[in-house]
């Protein structure tokens, strides 16, 4: 009985109903005076409230996929995939060295979450495209992370059989999930509609969560002696995708976007790793990584701590380091989101050769309705920055077989304001 299954929801709802019924039935007996009766009333009310709260929490988690399994909920997660062996040695920053991977770096995964996503394409892949449910294995980090991959119709057409495609990586917030990206942010559905209408060139969309060590929020940081999230997203993920799909090999054809902490991560990756990602779309991001109860100590201790903190402070980077040659989009609402002043300050601080554009609606909250309004303009702008790869797959190359699934959908567009 999985944490996100309907059976779990129904069982929890039945337990809550049973608790309420028993409370009403036994209350006359518990209403008498005496120590045991008082303790009985407290226990009965406590159990009833607990089951009701647990029922609502279970339904909420099933809807938003904060935790995908019981293991994740209780922090009992095996971070190493089958076929991956970690060597005992680590280097000074905690990066795993000497990892040996058996088998492909992108492997088929279960379709339980994907089957619940609405608006995915059906029919021939060469006409409507396809969404695949996979797991990505990090060769350097030993991390395994679930992902959805949207492949446009052209990917399956004979005329494009040797063509590589641009790639955009979409990151969820914390705790987040790939289900949120597909169902609520409508990443593949929006991209499919824009591409079908000619507003976006054929592009591979990769939906993945940056929470590689749940329930800890690692904020896309290489934690000293801990999870190496930046290495996974900046090195392992691109390498795995390039080994499996016909994606461009040059950074000019790679972009990354995200919402909330995923948007912060998109900016971090693009500004810190411009040789990997040259374009970012950040919806409601923060501009500095800080320790909090969900992150723990992200930067370690000792002499290097201050440098690591500054390195993940984007305003500090803009002031003290040469600006990278990248293009970024930031989105924040003037009323309804607390990060608006910081976003204006970031826009003002950007200098050439870096470029920034913005989506700054008057009203909007820190939620999916706001972000889905901003998605079409974000995707169209990002796609305009990415180059369509000129390199082609050699004639002897054979694209690995993929798992199947579906995709398609719409969202209203907005305009982006360009800043220099």
């Amino acid at each position: 009985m999985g944490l996100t299954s309907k059976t779990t929801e129904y069982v929890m709802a039945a337990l809550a109903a049973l608790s309420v019924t028993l409370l009403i039935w036994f209350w006359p007996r518990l209403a008498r005076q005496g120590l045991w009766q008082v303790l009985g009333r407290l226990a009965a009310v406590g159990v009833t409230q607990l089951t009701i709260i647990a029922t609502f929490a279970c339904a909420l988690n099933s809807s938003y996929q904060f935790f995908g399994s019981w293991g994740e909920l209780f922090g009992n997660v095996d971070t190493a995939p089958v076929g991956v062996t970690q060597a005992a040695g680590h280097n000074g920053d905690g990066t795993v060295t000497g990892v040996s991977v058996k088998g492909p770096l992108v492997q088929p995964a279960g379709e339980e979450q994907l089957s619940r996503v609405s608006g995915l394409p059906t029919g021939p892949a060469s006409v409507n495209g396809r969404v695949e449910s996979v797991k990505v294995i990090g060769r350097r980090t030993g991390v395994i992370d679930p992902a959805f991959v949207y492949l446009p119709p052209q990917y399956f057409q004979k005329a494009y059989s040797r063509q590589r495609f641009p790639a955009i990586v979409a990151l969820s917030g914390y705790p987040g999930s790939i289900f949120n990206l597909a169902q609520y942010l409508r990443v593949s559905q929006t991209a499919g509609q824009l591409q079908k209408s000619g507003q976006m060139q054929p592009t591979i969309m990769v939906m993945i969560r940056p929470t590689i060590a749940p329930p800890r929020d690692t904020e896309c940081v290489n934690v000293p002696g801990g999870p190496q999230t930046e290495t996974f997203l900046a090195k392992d993920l691109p390498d795995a995708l390039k080994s499996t799909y016909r994606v461009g090999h040059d950074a000019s054809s790679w972009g990354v976007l995200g919402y909330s902490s995923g948007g912060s991560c998109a900016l971090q990756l693009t500004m810190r790793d411009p040789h990997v990602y040259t374009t970012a779309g950040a919806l409601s991001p923060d501009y500095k990584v800080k320790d909090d109860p969900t992150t723990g100590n992200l930067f370690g201790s000792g002499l290097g701590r201050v440098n690591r903190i500054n390195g993940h402070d984007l305003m500090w980077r803009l002031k003290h380091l040469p600006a990278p040659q990248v293009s970024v989009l930031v989105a924040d609402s003037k009323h309804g989101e607390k990060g608006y002043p910081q976003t204006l300050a970031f826009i003002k601080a950007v200098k050439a050769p870096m470029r920034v554009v913005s989506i700054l609606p008057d009203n909007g909250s820190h939620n999916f309705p706001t972000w889905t309004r901003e998605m079409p303009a974000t995707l169209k702008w990002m796609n305009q920055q990415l180059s369509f790869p000129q390199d082609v797959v050699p004639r002897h190359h054979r694209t690995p077989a993929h798992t199947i699934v579906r995709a398609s959908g719409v969202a209203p567009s907005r305009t982006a304001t360009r800043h220099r």
Side-chain angles (χ1 to χ4, degrees), residues 147-380:
F148 294 153
V149 180
Y150 167 74
L151 303 171
Q154 291 83 353
Y155 192 88
F156 304 96
Q157 297 171 5
K158 185 176 181 181
Y160 291 83
S161 61
R162 296 180 57 217
Q163 179 64 56
R164 300 188 188 276
F165 292 82
I168 294 179
V169 175
L171 303 173
S172 66
Y174 174 81
S177 71
I178 55 176
F179 178 82
N180 291 350
L181 291 165
Q183 176 67 15
Y184 298 109
L185 198 59
R186 315 296 286 176
V187 171
S188 58
Q189 298 89 324
T190 305
Q193 185 66 27
L194 291 173
Q195 293 178 36
K196 184 175 292 186
S197 63
Q199 300 179 71
M200 185 175 173
Q201 62 187 336
T203 302
I204 294 174
M205 306 295 301
V206 181
M207 292 158 273
I208 198 165
R209 61 178 188 177
T211 308
I212 64 170
R216 186 178 186 182
D217 178 14
T218 55
E219 290 282 342
C220 295
V221 171
N222 279 346
V223 181
Q228 303 294 288
T229 312
E230 183 176 9
T231 296
F232 176 75
L233 293 172
K235 295 182 179 179
D236 283 346
L237 177 62
D239 285 355
L241 295 172
K242 291 173 184 177
S243 72
T244 305
Y245 298 100
R246 301 197 312 274
V247 293
H249 285 197
D250 190 81
S252 63
S253 59
W254 282 77
V256 56
L257 69 87
Y259 65 88
S260 191
S261 62
S264 307
C265 184
L267 289 177
Q268 293 276 344
L269 289 171
T270 304
M271 293 180 64
R272 289 174 56 85
D273 301 280
H275 57 288
V276 180
Y277 301 102
T278 56
T279 303
L283 311 181
S284 306
D286 290 321
Y287 301 94
K288 181 178 181 179
V289 176
K290 301 177 182 178
D291 289 343
D292 64 35
T294 66
T295 66
N297 183 357
L298 293 174
F299 303 106
S301 57
L303 298 176
R305 175 176 169 82
V306 172
N307 289 335
R308 288 190 286 269
I309 291 175
N310 289 338
H312 287 278
D313 182 341
L314 300 186
M315 297 298 291
W316 184 93
R317 295 184 69 89
L318 289 173
K319 184 177 180 179
H320 295 92
L321 300 178
Q325 190 167 347
V326 296
S327 300
V328 302
L329 177 149
V330 291
D332 238 317
S333 301
K334 185 175 182 180
H335 301 290
E337 294 194 85
K338 63 180 181 180
Y340 185 77
Q342 289 75 31
T343 293
L344 293 183
F346 177 82
I347 293 170
K348 185 177 180 180
V350 170
K351 54 184 180 291
M354 183 175 173
R355 296 190 308 124
V356 62
V357 302
S358 64
I359 298 175
L360 303 172
D362 287 335
N363 296 283
S365 300
H366 198 80
N367 56 28
F368 285 108
T370 297
W371 300 324
T372 54
R373 289 166 54 207
E374 298 165 347
M375 271 296 290
T378 300
L379 285 177
K380 286 192 290 185

Side-chain angles (χ1 to χ4, degrees), residues 29-43:
R29 299 183 186 181
L30 298 173
R32 300 169 186 170
Q33 293 184 351
L35 177 61
W36 292 110
Q37 284 77 13
V38 172
L39 293 177
R41 289 196 295 271
L42 290 174

